[in-house]
Amino acid sequence: MKLRCLCVLPGEHFGEEFGKINLMRKVPALRDGDFYLAESIAIMIYLAEKFETPDFWYPTDIRQRARVNEYLSWQHQGIRTHSSKVFWLRVMIPMVMGVEVPKEKMDAALEDLNSSLKLIEEKFLDDRPFIAGDQVSLADIVAIVEIMQPVGSGLDVFQGRLKLSAWRDRVQAAIGKELFDEAHQAILGAQENVKLLDPTVLQASKSKILRYFM
């Protein structure tokens, strides 16, 4: 079996070789023999089905799987966009690129993030322990990763959100504290780690980044 998740150096995915694997030149990408796959959600579901992971990750029950699919279909524009934007506005743009972020831009980004977090609590969790029901699933893993992004920027999004905090604790307990902490080590250390970045790395994309986030 030649299953490989393709990790690259910064900027390497724009090269010709990676383009042969993923024409969109985006990461992550997966190679399984002569089969290539892009997009993180598609890769995750493919791996869950190929290796027949425990049923709770991607349930065979049609309604539970529908809950997982519902969240995965919503999350990219529903929470990921807002979480990553807050991270960039609070960390990458001011600390690495040296650009001051206008207060109104930050306030608007936080408002969008807060609306999405409220929707996760009131719709996607509702009165359930996890998004799909009584057990953790792929939906919860994707959700916690995105929600931890603003936490890595120094913004405690769990403060004052009892339902969200309790859900985070259940996800942590379900996968184990050690693995949970390891998975979020990089993002939680982001404010220190960015000090080691070479600011010139982002210069070529500076105008594009500022147009996108500001």
Side-chain angles (χ1 to χ4, degrees):
M1 182 185 301
K2 296 182 179 179
L3 181 67
R4 184 183 176 201
C5 182
L6 300 166
C7 302
V8 298
L9 297 173
E12 189 179 353
H13 56 295
F14 293 116
E16 200 63 34
E17 283 304 309
F18 193 88
K20 296 175 183 178
I21 298 168
N22 181 0
L23 189 62
M24 296 180 286
R25 289 180 166 81
K26 293 172 61 180
V27 291
L30 179 139
R31 180 169 63 195
D32 186 4
D34 60 354
F35 177 70
Y36 299 98
L37 191 63
E39 298 299 329
S40 57
I41 299 302
I43 291 171
M44 188 169 57
I45 292 174
Y46 175 77
L47 293 174
E49 294 184 327
K50 178 181 175 70
F51 293 104
E52 299 180 352
T53 54
D55 188 71
F56 58 83
W57 287 119
Y58 197 51
T60 52
D61 178 89
I62 189 171
R63 292 190 175 182
Q64 290 180 349
R65 179 169 286 200
R67 289 290 184 202
V68 174
N69 289 335
E70 179 185 41
Y71 180 80
L72 295 180
S73 299
W74 171 84
Q75 58 86 29
H76 186 80
Q77 293 296 325
I79 182 67
R80 183 180 183 184
T81 297
H82 305 313
S83 293
S84 62
K85 185 172 186 177
V86 168
F87 179 81
W88 273 83
L89 292 180
R90 287 174 62 93
V91 178
M92 299 299 291
I93 291 176
M95 297 177 67
V96 179
M97 303 177 72
V99 176
E100 183 178 353
V101 176
K103 183 179 183 299
E104 61 270 19
K105 293 291 184 180
M106 181 62 73
D107 289 345
L110 291 173
E111 183 177 352
D112 288 338
L113 176 62
N114 287 332
S115 295
S116 291
L117 292 173
K118 183 178 181 182
L119 197 58
I120 288 176
E121 286 190 301
E122 295 182 356
K123 172 182 169 44
F124 291 105
L125 284 174
D126 193 19
D127 59 354
R128 296 182 294 274
F130 298 99
I131 292 174
D134 293 331
Q135 290 185 293
V136 70
S137 71
L138 294 180
D140 299 284
I141 300 303
V142 173
I144 194 65
V145 167
E146 300 301 348
I147 293 172
M148 291 297 284
Q149 282 200 64
V151 177
S153 75
L155 178 66
D156 186 359
V157 298
F158 297 103
Q159 185 175 5
R161 293 187 171 94
L162 298 181
K163 182 184 290 188
L164 199 68
S165 297
W167 163 78
R168 174 204 54 199
D169 293 344
R170 288 192 292 271
V171 172
Q172 184 185 69
I175 67 174
K177 186 179 187 304
E178 183 177 354
L179 181 58
F180 185 94
D181 291 344
E182 180 183 347
H184 298 107
Q185 184 177 6
I187 192 66
L188 294 180
Q191 294 183 81
E192 290 299 317
N193 294 336
V194 295
K195 297 176 183 178
L196 304 176
L197 289 179
D198 180 358
T200 62
V201 172
L202 296 177
Q203 286 306 308
S205 305
K206 183 174 180 178
S207 60
K208 183 178 180 180
I209 291 171
L210 295 179
R211 282 198 308 272
Y212 183 80
F213 289 110
M214 296 174 63

